[in-house]
Amino acid sequence: MEYIRSKKYESKELMAKIMGPNPLKLLEELMADCRIPAGSYVMDLGSGQGLTSAFLAKEYDMRVCAADLWSEPEDNRRFFAEMGLGEAQIEAVKADATALPFEPERFDAVVSVDSYHYFGRDPAFLDEKILPFVKPGGHVYIAVPGMKKDCHDNLPEVLLRSWRPEDLDTIHDANWWRRILEPCRGAELLYVREMEGNEELWADWLRQDNPYAEGDRRAMEHGGGAYMNFVAFALRKREA
C-alpha cells in the first residue's frame, strides 16, 4: 500500500511521538475502506500522545475524542493547538478503556490503533466495555500487532531477544482474533484480516532514537519480522 496521507507527517518532531511501528500508516490502511462518514464524532481509544487523533481530525475531517490512560490531556491539548486544531474539533480525555467515563451512545465510531491488544482480549470486552458508548449502526475499527501464525506453545528464540513470553501473550494471529470477536452479540463482524505494511511500519519505528525501539531491534534485526504482522478488524453495532 502507498501511504500517501501519512507521508505528510514524517518530520523528525512528529515521528518522535510514535511509540511503536508507525501508527499513522496503520491508521491510514485501517481507514482505506472506512465506512465512517466525515464529520462523525469518533473516540480514538488508546490515543497516546495524540498523533493518531490529530491525523483523524485533519485527514478525515472527524470530530475526535483522544482517550488515553497514560498520556496527560494538557500535553495533548498543546499538541493539538500546535497542529492547528481547535477544541470544537478535538478534545483530550484521560480514560481507562475498562471503565470509560462517557455517557451511553455518545460516539458515532471508535477507532483504536496499537492498543486494543492490551485490554481487549476477553471475548466479552466489546459488548461490555466499548459498544455501550457507540450509537446503533456505528462502527469500531481496530488495528493491533499480530503474528502470522500463533506460536505461543513454542516461542522462537529470536522473539525472546526483545520480548518476554508475557509480552508476546498479547500478540496473536488473525484466526485467534476472529475467535475472540465472533461471540460478540452487539455488533456484526465485518472482517478480520492481516494488514499489508509489516516491514515498512517496523522500519519506521526501528529508525527512531528511542530506548523501546532499541530493545525491539534485537529481535527484528535477527529475523523476528518473519513471525510478525498486523491484524485489522472492523465491526458495526447492531440497530436496536
Side-chain angles (χ1 to χ4, degrees), residues 124-143:
F125 188 84
L126 270 170
D127 279 315
E128 295 178 359
K129 305 297 185 180
I130 302 297
L131 290 176
F133 304 100
V134 180
K135 295 176 182 177
H139 290 84
V140 177
Y141 282 84
I142 294 173

PDB file of all heavy atoms in Angstrom, residues 124-143:
ATOM      1  N   ALA A 124     -15.832 -10.920  25.980  1.00  0.00           N
ATOM      2  CA  ALA A 124     -16.951 -10.093  26.432  1.00  0.00           C
ATOM      3  C   ALA A 124     -16.634  -8.603  26.412  1.00  0.00           C
ATOM      4  O   ALA A 124     -17.532  -7.774  26.626  1.00  0.00           O
ATOM      5  CB  ALA A 124     -17.356 -10.494  27.850  1.00  0.00           C
ATOM      6  N   PHE A 125     -15.384  -8.240  26.119  1.00  0.00           N
ATOM      7  CA  PHE A 125     -14.958  -6.857  26.294  1.00  0.00           C
ATOM      8  C   PHE A 125     -15.737  -5.889  25.398  1.00  0.00           C
ATOM      9  O   PHE A 125     -16.194  -4.832  25.858  1.00  0.00           O
ATOM     10  CB  PHE A 125     -13.457  -6.723  26.024  1.00  0.00           C
ATOM     11  CG  PHE A 125     -12.902  -5.374  26.375  1.00  0.00           C
ATOM     12  CD1 PHE A 125     -12.531  -5.087  27.677  1.00  0.00           C
ATOM     13  CD2 PHE A 125     -12.768  -4.389  25.415  1.00  0.00           C
ATOM     14  CE1 PHE A 125     -12.033  -3.838  28.020  1.00  0.00           C
ATOM     15  CE2 PHE A 125     -12.268  -3.135  25.743  1.00  0.00           C
ATOM     16  CZ  PHE A 125     -11.895  -2.870  27.046  1.00  0.00           C
ATOM     17  N   LEU A 126     -15.906  -6.222  24.141  1.00  0.00           N
ATOM     18  CA  LEU A 126     -16.618  -5.318  23.228  1.00  0.00           C
ATOM     19  C   LEU A 126     -18.035  -5.056  23.703  1.00  0.00           C
ATOM     20  O   LEU A 126     -18.488  -3.908  23.754  1.00  0.00           O
ATOM     21  CB  LEU A 126     -16.644  -5.905  21.818  1.00  0.00           C
ATOM     22  CG  LEU A 126     -15.493  -5.542  20.887  1.00  0.00           C
ATOM     23  CD1 LEU A 126     -15.550  -6.392  19.633  1.00  0.00           C
ATOM     24  CD2 LEU A 126     -15.538  -4.063  20.513  1.00  0.00           C
ATOM     25  N   ASP A 127     -18.752  -6.114  24.021  1.00  0.00           N
ATOM     26  CA  ASP A 127     -20.143  -5.955  24.445  1.00  0.00           C
ATOM     27  C   ASP A 127     -20.255  -5.159  25.740  1.00  0.00           C
ATOM     28  O   ASP A 127     -21.171  -4.337  25.890  1.00  0.00           O
ATOM     29  CB  ASP A 127     -20.788  -7.331  24.642  1.00  0.00           C
ATOM     30  CG  ASP A 127     -21.251  -7.959  23.342  1.00  0.00           C
ATOM     31  OD1 ASP A 127     -21.874  -7.252  22.531  1.00  0.00           O
ATOM     32  OD2 ASP A 127     -20.977  -9.149  23.136  1.00  0.00           O
ATOM     33  N   GLU A 128     -19.336  -5.385  26.651  1.00  0.00           N
ATOM     34  CA  GLU A 128     -19.471  -4.791  27.982  1.00  0.00           C
ATOM     35  C   GLU A 128     -18.821  -3.419  28.117  1.00  0.00           C
ATOM     36  O   GLU A 128     -19.329  -2.560  28.850  1.00  0.00           O
ATOM     37  CB  GLU A 128     -18.870  -5.736  29.024  1.00  0.00           C
ATOM     38  CG  GLU A 128     -19.624  -7.059  29.142  1.00  0.00           C
ATOM     39  CD  GLU A 128     -18.983  -8.000  30.146  1.00  0.00           C
ATOM     40  OE1 GLU A 128     -17.942  -7.623  30.742  1.00  0.00           O
ATOM     41  OE2 GLU A 128     -19.518  -9.110  30.340  1.00  0.00           O
ATOM     42  N   LYS A 129     -17.704  -3.194  27.411  1.00  0.00           N
ATOM     43  CA  LYS A 129     -16.891  -2.012  27.679  1.00  0.00           C
ATOM     44  C   LYS A 129     -16.839  -0.994  26.550  1.00  0.00           C
ATOM     45  O   LYS A 129     -16.527   0.179  26.793  1.00  0.00           O
ATOM     46  CB  LYS A 129     -15.447  -2.446  28.004  1.00  0.00           C
ATOM     47  CG  LYS A 129     -15.324  -3.443  29.149  1.00  0.00           C
ATOM     48  CD  LYS A 129     -15.817  -2.856  30.460  1.00  0.00           C
ATOM     49  CE  LYS A 129     -15.570  -3.841  31.614  1.00  0.00           C
ATOM     50  NZ  LYS A 129     -16.055  -3.286  32.907  1.00  0.00           N
ATOM     51  N   ILE A 130     -17.115  -1.396  25.315  1.00  0.00           N
ATOM     52  CA  ILE A 130     -16.975  -0.482  24.174  1.00  0.00           C
ATOM     53  C   ILE A 130     -18.316  -0.147  23.530  1.00  0.00           C
ATOM     54  O   ILE A 130     -18.683   1.028  23.373  1.00  0.00           O
ATOM     55  CB  ILE A 130     -16.028  -1.076  23.114  1.00  0.00           C
ATOM     56  CG1 ILE A 130     -14.651  -1.362  23.721  1.00  0.00           C
ATOM     57  CG2 ILE A 130     -15.898  -0.128  21.918  1.00  0.00           C
ATOM     58  CD1 ILE A 130     -13.923  -0.144  24.225  1.00  0.00           C
ATOM     59  N   LEU A 131     -19.067  -1.164  23.154  1.00  0.00           N
ATOM     60  CA  LEU A 131     -20.291  -0.923  22.386  1.00  0.00           C
ATOM     61  C   LEU A 131     -21.330  -0.074  23.117  1.00  0.00           C
ATOM     62  O   LEU A 131     -22.096   0.640  22.448  1.00  0.00           O
ATOM     63  CB  LEU A 131     -20.906  -2.258  21.959  1.00  0.00           C
ATOM     64  CG  LEU A 131     -20.102  -3.017  20.897  1.00  0.00           C
ATOM     65  CD1 LEU A 131     -20.751  -4.362  20.615  1.00  0.00           C
ATOM     66  CD2 LEU A 131     -19.970  -2.206  19.619  1.00  0.00           C
ATOM     67  N   PRO A 132     -21.414  -0.079  24.456  1.00  0.00           N
ATOM     68  CA  PRO A 132     -22.393   0.807  25.101  1.00  0.00           C
ATOM     69  C   PRO A 132     -22.202   2.285  24.760  1.00  0.00           C
ATOM     70  O   PRO A 132     -23.158   3.063  24.846  1.00  0.00           O
ATOM     71  CB  PRO A 132     -22.160   0.551  26.601  1.00  0.00           C
ATOM     72  CG  PRO A 132     -21.665  -0.850  26.664  1.00  0.00           C
ATOM     73  CD  PRO A 132     -20.789  -0.982  25.454  1.00  0.00           C
ATOM     74  N   PHE A 133     -21.011   2.668  24.327  1.00  0.00           N
ATOM     75  CA  PHE A 133     -20.731   4.078  24.052  1.00  0.00           C
ATOM     76  C   PHE A 133     -20.838   4.423  22.567  1.00  0.00           C
ATOM     77  O   PHE A 133     -20.589   5.558  22.165  1.00  0.00           O
ATOM     78  CB  PHE A 133     -19.337   4.431  24.577  1.00  0.00           C
ATOM     79  CG  PHE A 133     -19.187   4.119  26.039  1.00  0.00           C
ATOM     80  CD1 PHE A 133     -18.538   2.963  26.459  1.00  0.00           C
ATOM     81  CD2 PHE A 133     -19.749   4.947  26.997  1.00  0.00           C
ATOM     82  CE1 PHE A 133     -18.432   2.656  27.809  1.00  0.00           C
ATOM     83  CE2 PHE A 133     -19.647   4.647  28.344  1.00  0.00           C
ATOM     84  CZ  PHE A 133     -18.991   3.501  28.750  1.00  0.00           C
ATOM     85  N   VAL A 134     -21.224   3.440  21.745  1.00  0.00           N
ATOM     86  CA  VAL A 134     -21.348   3.626  20.299  1.00  0.00           C
ATOM     87  C   VAL A 134     -22.822   3.685  19.917  1.00  0.00           C
ATOM     88  O   VAL A 134     -23.628   2.895  20.411  1.00  0.00           O
ATOM     89  CB  VAL A 134     -20.650   2.478  19.537  1.00  0.00           C
ATOM     90  CG1 VAL A 134     -20.771   2.676  18.029  1.00  0.00           C
ATOM     91  CG2 VAL A 134     -19.181   2.383  19.940  1.00  0.00           C
ATOM     92  N   LYS A 135     -23.168   4.615  19.043  1.00  0.00           N
ATOM     93  CA  LYS A 135     -24.552   4.720  18.588  1.00  0.00           C
ATOM     94  C   LYS A 135     -24.932   3.498  17.759  1.00  0.00           C
ATOM     95  O   LYS A 135     -24.080   2.901  17.083  1.00  0.00           O
ATOM     96  CB  LYS A 135     -24.714   5.986  17.743  1.00  0.00           C
ATOM     97  CG  LYS A 135     -24.507   7.275  18.514  1.00  0.00           C
ATOM     98  CD  LYS A 135     -24.595   8.484  17.590  1.00  0.00           C
ATOM     99  CE  LYS A 135     -24.335   9.772  18.370  1.00  0.00           C
ATOM    100  NZ  LYS A 135     -24.336  10.970  17.499  1.00  0.00           N
ATOM    101  N   PRO A 136     -26.200   3.088  17.770  1.00  0.00           N
ATOM    102  CA  PRO A 136     -26.633   1.992  16.900  1.00  0.00           C
ATOM    103  C   PRO A 136     -26.270   2.285  15.445  1.00  0.00           C
ATOM    104  O   PRO A 136     -26.447   3.404  14.960  1.00  0.00           O
ATOM    105  CB  PRO A 136     -28.149   1.961  17.100  1.00  0.00           C
ATOM    106  CG  PRO A 136     -28.348   2.519  18.474  1.00  0.00           C
ATOM    107  CD  PRO A 136     -27.295   3.589  18.634  1.00  0.00           C
ATOM    108  N   GLY A 137     -25.722   1.295  14.774  1.00  0.00           N
ATOM    109  CA  GLY A 137     -25.276   1.483  13.397  1.00  0.00           C
ATOM    110  C   GLY A 137     -23.873   2.045  13.287  1.00  0.00           C
ATOM    111  O   GLY A 137     -23.331   2.132  12.179  1.00  0.00           O
ATOM    112  N   GLY A 138     -23.270   2.421  14.419  1.00  0.00           N
ATOM    113  CA  GLY A 138     -21.912   2.947  14.410  1.00  0.00           C
ATOM    114  C   GLY A 138     -20.869   1.852  14.242  1.00  0.00           C
ATOM    115  O   GLY A 138     -21.175   0.657  14.298  1.00  0.00           O
ATOM    116  N   HIS A 139     -19.630   2.267  14.037  1.00  0.00           N
ATOM    117  CA  HIS A 139     -18.564   1.328  13.699  1.00  0.00           C
ATOM    118  C   HIS A 139     -17.431   1.330  14.714  1.00  0.00           C
ATOM    119  O   HIS A 139     -17.202   2.319  15.416  1.00  0.00           O
ATOM    120  CB  HIS A 139     -18.002   1.659  12.310  1.00  0.00           C
ATOM    121  CG  HIS A 139     -18.942   1.361  11.200  1.00  0.00           C
ATOM    122  ND1 HIS A 139     -19.926   2.243  10.801  1.00  0.00           N
ATOM    123  CD2 HIS A 139     -19.067   0.268  10.401  1.00  0.00           C
ATOM    124  CE1 HIS A 139     -20.609   1.709   9.799  1.00  0.00           C
ATOM    125  NE2 HIS A 139     -20.107   0.516   9.541  1.00  0.00           N
ATOM    126  N   VAL A 140     -16.724   0.207  14.742  1.00  0.00           N
ATOM    127  CA  VAL A 140     -15.496   0.047  15.525  1.00  0.00           C
ATOM    128  C   VAL A 140     -14.421  -0.454  14.567  1.00  0.00           C
ATOM    129  O   VAL A 140     -14.600  -1.489  13.913  1.00  0.00           O
ATOM    130  CB  VAL A 140     -15.683  -0.963  16.676  1.00  0.00           C
ATOM    131  CG1 VAL A 140     -14.373  -1.158  17.424  1.00  0.00           C
ATOM    132  CG2 VAL A 140     -16.792  -0.506  17.625  1.00  0.00           C
ATOM    133  N   TYR A 141     -13.327   0.297  14.457  1.00  0.00           N
ATOM    134  CA  TYR A 141     -12.200  -0.081  13.599  1.00  0.00           C
ATOM    135  C   TYR A 141     -10.954  -0.194  14.465  1.00  0.00           C
ATOM    136  O   TYR A 141     -10.591   0.750  15.173  1.00  0.00           O
ATOM    137  CB  TYR A 141     -11.961   0.973  12.512  1.00  0.00           C
ATOM    138  CG  TYR A 141     -12.911   0.899  11.353  1.00  0.00           C
ATOM    139  CD1 TYR A 141     -14.165   1.502  11.410  1.00  0.00           C
ATOM    140  CD2 TYR A 141     -12.567   0.229  10.183  1.00  0.00           C
ATOM    141  CE1 TYR A 141     -15.047   1.440  10.343  1.00  0.00           C
ATOM    142  CE2 TYR A 141     -13.447   0.157   9.109  1.00  0.00           C
ATOM    143  CZ  TYR A 141     -14.672   0.763   9.199  1.00  0.00           C
ATOM    144  OH  TYR A 141     -15.549   0.697   8.136  1.00  0.00           O
ATOM    145  N   ILE A 142     -10.261  -1.347  14.376  1.00  0.00           N
ATOM    146  CA  ILE A 142      -9.137  -1.617  15.261  1.00  0.00           C
ATOM    147  C   ILE A 142      -7.976  -2.227  14.476  1.00  0.00           C
ATOM    148  O   ILE A 142      -8.185  -3.073  13.599  1.00  0.00           O
ATOM    149  CB  ILE A 142      -9.564  -2.566  16.398  1.00  0.00           C
ATOM    150  CG1 ILE A 142     -10.598  -1.869  17.300  1.00  0.00           C
ATOM    151  CG2 ILE A 142      -8.364  -3.027  17.224  1.00  0.00           C
ATOM    152  CD1 ILE A 142     -11.216  -2.747  18.345  1.00  0.00           C
ATOM    153  N   ALA A 143      -6.756  -1.787  14.808  1.00  0.00           N
ATOM    154  CA  ALA A 143      -5.533  -2.398  14.271  1.00  0.00           C
ATOM    155  C   ALA A 143      -4.612  -2.728  15.432  1.00  0.00           C
ATOM    156  O   ALA A 143      -4.388  -1.891  16.314  1.00  0.00           O
ATOM    157  CB  ALA A 143      -4.848  -1.447  13.295  1.00  0.00           C
TER     158      ALA A 143
END
